[in-house]
Amino acid sequence: MALQSRRQVMRAAMHGAAGLCLAPLASRVAPVYAQSAAPAFDAVTLSERLYLLTSAGQANVVAQTQPDGVVLVDGAAANVAEALLDTVAGLPASGAIHSLFNTHWHPQQTGLNERLGAEGATIIAHENTRLWLTTDITYPWDDQSFAPLSKAAQPNLSFYDTGELNSQVRYGYLRHAAHTDGDMYVQFPEANVLVVGDTVSGAGWPFVDWWTGGWIGGIVGNLELLLDLTDAQTRVVPARGRVLSRADLQSQYEMYNIVYERLSRMLNSGRGPDEAVAAKPTEEFDAIMGPPDEFVRRAFESLWAYLTPDAALPRRQWGVFA
Ligand SMILES: [Zn+2]
């Protein structure tokens, strides 16, 4: 029911977000998630020439070995770059990595950019992701700071809507902005594999990075887009956690719709993030999804950026608008 209004809101919000102008600070060192010490990657065959390289589920990378070299979807964090490159080199019919996708700007996706960019690889990302990687970012909730990547490490092929690498790889923008406003998918049609970055979590409640454009309404909206791109046989690879099915996406879609409605109602009745957390709006899902407080807080705050009339106020106060 509120879906209609959510869509309208998102359309309006997208126009607003386009004007976002970003401000300064420190250096890209700290990770977005706590790093677990799990540098080794396991290679799991998804299909002929297509592999999931996973570091204990904390970092999922997909590699396709093509006759002219390797395509990678995400590059994991810089501190596991060597382990990842070793794993890629050990794949059957491996070769040089000629193309790297960044499903969004986070350091867990962009750890190979410096190295592969310097070697002349094509680094593909949505234009918003490219822009985030050219600017300083500091989170308001914990002061983590991220400096721009060097020119060579920045995406050198950005897109707005959809694209094709060749007949074997298609990609597109997930325009509702779930995790960040640069979320994208990469599709391997022959293998019926869809790589979705952090727009979908395969490992508990997600991190809603509303500071760079993600929001709870976007989680619902992007799941809707992904349902249209999948069938019962599709394997969906998130950036963290297990490989998912279309049925998993469907249940997540229904679950996040419920959470979105509850949080929106609380926002509309004047509640704040502490009250949202205290109200336990995810209670019936927590046994499966895990501790919810951080997710609920960020998801609630994400509504400020998209649903309140003076949405930009907190960001203006923090000096982010020019
Ligand atoms: Zn992320």
Side-chain angles (χ1 to χ4, degrees), residues 200 218-228 249 252-253 256:
V200 179
I219 295 178
V220 179
N222 278 353
L223 281 163
E224 208 171 4
L225 292 180
L226 294 172
L227 285 168
D228 285 342
L249 297 186
Q252 287 207 14
Y253 172 72
Y256 285 114

Side-chain angles (χ1 to χ4, degrees), residues 32-33 104 106 108-109 179-180 198 207 239:
V32 177
Y33 308 106
H104 57 288
H106 286 158
Q108 288 75 14
Q109 275 60 47
H179 183 62
T180 72
D198 275 325
F207 166 50

Side-chain angles (χ1 to χ4, degrees), residues 21-28 105 128-138 145-149 154 211-212:
C21 179
L22 303 159
L25 287 179
S27 70
R28 194 179 302 269
W105 71 268
N128 287 347
T129 294
R130 190 191 69 78
L131 289 171
W132 288 120
L133 290 170
T134 64
T135 191
D136 291 291
I137 296 167
T138 298
S145 292
F146 309 92
L149 295 188
Q154 292 168 8
W211 187 250
T212 63

Side-chain angles (χ1 to χ4, degrees), residues 41-42 44 46 51-55 59-63 71-77 84 88 100 108-109 112 195 237-239:
F41 283 82
D42 293 318
V44 179
L46 292 169
Y51 304 92
L52 165 63
L53 314 180
T54 182
S55 177
N60 292 336
V61 169
V62 169
V71 177
L72 276 194
V73 184
D74 283 334
L84 178 56
V88 171
L100 168 69
Q108 288 75 14
Q109 275 60 47
L112 283 185
V195 189
V237 183

Side-chain angles (χ1 to χ4, degrees), residues 17 41-42 45 57 98 107 109 141 158 176 225 248 261 289 300:
F41 283 82
D42 293 318
T45 303
H98 62 68
Q109 275 60 47
W141 48 78
S158 68
H176 297 303
L225 292 180
D248 292 322
E261 295 299 341
M289 298 298 287
F300 185 89

Side-chain angles (χ1 to χ4, degrees), residues 155-307:
N156 47 37
L157 178 59
S158 68
F159 69 97
Y160 288 93
D161 186 18
T162 57
E164 269 187 16
L165 194 53
N166 50 46
S167 60
Q168 300 179 58
V169 187
R170 291 181 203 145
Y171 54 91
Y173 184 36
L174 292 167
R175 66 180 183 280
H176 297 303
H179 183 62
T180 72
D181 64 11
D183 291 0
M184 67 176 293
Y185 67 84
V186 181
Q187 194 172 27
F188 298 90
E190 274 178 35
N192 199 1
V193 166
L194 186 63
V195 189
V196 298
D198 275 325
T199 244
V200 179
S201 170
W205 293 115
F207 166 50
V208 183
D209 183 355
W210 59 261
W211 187 250
T212 63
W215 78 300
I216 177 70
I219 295 178
V220 179
N222 278 353
L223 281 163
E224 208 171 4
L225 292 180
L226 294 172
L227 285 168
D228 285 342
L229 289 170
T230 48
D231 61 32
Q233 279 72 48
T234 307
R235 283 166 296 169
V236 178
V237 183
R240 292 187 309 134
R242 66 183 179 87
V243 174
L244 304 170
S245 66
R246 187 176 195 279
D248 292 322
L249 297 186
Q250 183 67 42
S251 340
Q252 287 207 14
Y253 172 72
E254 287 159 16
M255 175 180 75
Y256 285 114
N257 243 316
I258 292 169
V259 175
Y260 171 77
E261 295 299 341
R262 287 177 185 165
L263 293 179
S264 300
R265 230 176 292 130
M266 280 189 269
L267 180 84
N268 291 333
S269 60
R271 312 282 172 78
D274 290 340
E275 292 161 298
V277 169
K280 302 189 188 306
T282 59
E283 198 165 22
E284 71 265 47
F285 308 114
D286 291 342
I288 294 170
M289 298 298 287
D293 292 2
E294 176 81 5
F295 161 70
V296 170
R297 184 172 297 278
R298 297 290 161 255
F300 185 89
E301 290 168 351
S302 78
L303 297 174
W304 285 337
Y306 281 89
L307 295 189

